[in-house]
Amino acid sequence: MQGETVVDFSCGDSFTLFMTEKKITSQSDQAADSSSSCILQSIFSCGLNSSGQCGHPVLPSTKIDPERLGEDRIKAPTKISLPKSLLKGIAQFSAGVEHSLFLSSKTGFVYQCGGPGHKSSACQEVLINEPICKIEASLHSAALSFNGNLYLWSHENSTRPNTQIKNVKDISLSKDFAIIVDNSDKKFC
């Protein structure tokens, strides 16, 4: 992470995600005084990776075993290889119990890394048919659309939401409960 600034982080059950930014400046060919710059975002992770939640390959025969703590863990912050649509901008990310969620700022698509039995290091798109503005990951996952539709799925259901609630304004998840605020400011737990 040398030369990069940590601008955000999210802590999961036994792992952490970090967002970094690095300013890239290039000199213009037309004038030596003119330069252009862009901000390059990256996501790093470290911690328990038994289900691919850190976005890195899972070791064969990986199990949560106190005798082998070092084998199941990413010991130092390591850059995640993200899908191309996330390389253009990450609006939000969230670390859950055994998975991670990422929200593309360009498309509104949601991507998930990890989950029980999920041994791939690749982030997969969550199958939602409308742009999303907010995500939350815990034991379960939630994605709130710009139209107020809330999509929920369990960490075991991987990338297919199985519940939809309409007219939602906000959501907050913890490991044991959810707070859902509807358009009339009623709160449900």
Side-chain angles (χ1 to χ4, degrees), residues 85-86 89 91 102-111 125-126 128-135 143-146:
S85 63
L86 285 173
F102 301 91
L103 176 60
S104 168
S105 61
K106 299 293 181 189
T107 63
F109 293 170
V110 178
Y111 295 85
E125 184 179 339
V126 178
I128 300 173
N129 292 323
E130 62 180 314
I132 298 300
C133 62
K134 183 176 182 178
I135 55 173
L144 181 61
S145 76
F146 288 97

Side-chain angles (χ1 to χ4, degrees), residues 3-172:
E4 301 189 43
T5 303
V6 175
V7 295
D8 201 359
F9 65 94
S10 179
C11 297
D13 203 37
S14 299
F15 69 104
T16 303
L17 302 173
F18 307 89
M19 177 187 277
T20 65
E21 289 183 350
K22 182 176 185 177
K23 186 175 182 179
I24 307 293
T25 304
S26 64
Q27 294 291 333
S28 173
D29 293 335
Q30 297 175 349
D33 295 338
S34 175
S35 66
S36 62
S37 65
C38 67
I39 301 294
L40 178 65
Q41 291 179 323
S42 297
I43 299 287
F44 290 78
S45 64
C46 62
L48 187 66
N49 190 50
S50 59
S51 296
Q53 61 266 47
C54 287
H56 301 291
V58 176
L59 297 173
S61 73
T62 298
K63 294 180 181 166
I64 300 173
D65 181 355
E67 300 295 319
R68 297 179 29 223
L69 282 178
E71 293 179 39
D72 297 344
R73 296 184 181 274
I74 307 296
K75 294 178 182 178
T78 305
K79 188 174 181 177
I80 298 175
S81 207
L82 296 170
K84 286 183 181 181
S85 63
L86 285 173
L87 296 176
K88 296 181 179 180
I90 300 166
Q92 188 183 358
F93 60 99
S94 184
V97 173
E98 292 184 44
H99 66 290
S100 302
L101 295 179
F102 301 91
L103 176 60
S104 168
S105 61
K106 299 293 181 189
T107 63
F109 293 170
V110 178
Y111 295 85
Q112 178 174 318
C113 287
H118 186 34
K119 301 300 182 192
S120 170
S121 62
C123 291
Q124 297 179 333
E125 184 179 339
V126 178
L127 304 174
I128 300 173
N129 292 323
E130 62 180 314
I132 298 300
C133 62
K134 183 176 182 178
I135 55 173
E136 291 272 340
S138 184
L139 184 58
H140 302 290
S141 298
L144 181 61
S145 76
F146 288 97
N147 294 325
N149 295 317
L150 177 64
Y151 297 90
L152 302 166
W153 64 101
S154 71
H155 68 293
E156 296 171 349
N157 199 11
S158 197
T159 58
R160 295 189 183 276
N162 55 13
T163 303
Q164 180 181 354
I165 302 170
K166 297 183 181 281
N167 302 315
V168 174
K169 187 163 70 173
D170 202 5
I171 176 76
S172 181

